[in-house]
Amino acid sequence: AELLLVTDFSSLCSSLCCQCGVPIPPNPANMCVGCLRAQVDITEGIPKQGTLHFCKQCERYLQPPGTWIQCALESRELLALCLKKIKASLSKVRLIDAGFIWTEPHSKRLKLKLTVQKEVMNGAVLQQVFVVEYIVQSQMCEDCHRIEAKDFWKAVVQVRQKTLHKKTFYYLEQLILKHRLHQNTLRIKEIHDGLDFYYSSKQQAQKMVDFLQCTVPSRSKSSQRLISHDIHSNVYNYKSTFSVEIVPICKDNVVCLSPKLAQSLGNMSQICVCVRVTSTIHLIDPSTLQIAEIDGNTYWRHPFNSLFHPKQLEEFIIVDINRVQEKKKGAGAGARSNKHTLAEAWVQKTSELNTDHQYFCCTHLGHVLNPGDLVLGFDLANCNLNDEFANKMNPHNIPDVVLIKKSYDRSKRQRRRNWKLKELERDREGTDTDDERQYQDFLEDLEEDEAIRKNVNIYRNADIPVESDTDDDGPPRISLAEMLEDLHISEDATGGEGANMLT
């Protein structure tokens, strides 16, 4: 160790050391540095070795008794953590300087160089420099332990939607990814009609519930179950369950409103088409272009169901179509859509092309349909409407056909799709054969609806060559300006800490 004797020289004359007789400048101890070092060690009682606990998963250090903090190597935060380990021993000396001595990053060793001072014999101040070595031991923190266990959870959010199509869930998944709400989950489990999100605390689960209620029309309820109770410290351990039910209405559903609800929405027709589901249900009357939005609270007060499921969509061909320029508004009518065009069309089923049976209908798709186009729709004239409100309607007010969307060649759309979406990492109990078709339906909806695309992160697929976006005859496509570059940074190039910081 390096020793330094700090004295207050009262004169320039020399004196002899009382131990070895060597001439020295006079000092209160009357000893040379060597003799004083042999008799006094001011670092006695200060530990020269210590232990730091480090979690490999989250790269945090343990700050006793139970706090884990993020510290970079040779940072001020890590220096403070090391000094706290020997804070009690340093109370008898005065700390002058502290700093790190370089060690190999993978050596699991941290060396700290300390400079201390202390007053010794007869007021002499002795300064000494020494090294404290810390051994870094691996220990998994409580949060990472819960994540690895996958069963140790304190709260679960059960999201359900009682419908046959998962379009709303696919849209909700993209919103969760965009806002990074999946980062605090211990586990995501997919079941038949929904998702389960597991959390380590009730507060994180409540944050997810609040997000869902602001994102999709839904209602929720909560419950909790007592796991353990310490009667001595009066500490209770609960597991909380939040149940979130999303309205059972998806995009492209044909619904029948109750007379009271239809009147409150501006005397619109009871038969409407759902054009979008965001935080509200967006409805349009295909016979008048009147639009309305229904939030979750309104829906649960006046519930209604879808008249058809997606598998009942039939393909029609446009025989003739006439666009209606202007239609007189009824009494108390609400707002009309500016993005759609009202038209009157004669259509024929592609399965009945060898007959002369045609259907007349009003449609909101006049801006995209032309004679000879294929369109998907529902046949109300030849079906049994098992609905409470539809059965009470006047048959003259029920249209024969409701057209939903223009039909394109799906295989061609998939080949030309030069973009992709990210998905949540989740445990799947079983995959349905219909899931892939539903997912393709959702991707086609993104291409056709610009309003939904604004809430979704779309990434460019480098495996598909870039083609011109000026193809007016083909199906709708997403422009390159709306795509994000999917950034991947390998840990080999930047190191684990750099990769995490950049992603």
Side-chain angles (χ1 to χ4, degrees), residues 159-204:
V159 187
R160 301 290 184 269
Q161 187 183 33
K162 299 177 182 178
T163 182
L164 295 176
H165 207 289
K166 299 181 180 180
K167 282 185 179 181
T168 306
F169 265 110
Y170 292 136
Y171 173 68
L172 182 61
E173 177 185 14
Q174 297 303 318
L175 290 178
I176 293 174
L177 286 168
K178 181 173 184 177
H179 296 280
R180 300 178 181 272
L181 288 179
H182 63 290
Q183 293 183 336
N184 295 326
T185 55
L186 302 179
R187 179 190 181 193
I188 302 177
K189 183 179 179 182
E190 180 179 355
I191 61 173
H192 175 63
D193 56 350
L195 295 171
D196 290 344
F197 298 87
Y198 294 88
Y199 293 92
S200 59
S201 67
K202 183 178 178 181
Q203 291 76 13
Q204 294 175 346

Side-chain angles (χ1 to χ4, degrees), residues 335-350:
R336 291 184 179 180
S337 174
N338 296 324
K339 298 181 180 180
H340 299 83
T341 302
L342 184 62
E344 296 176 345
W346 287 94
V347 298
Q348 187 177 14
K349 290 184 181 179
T350 55

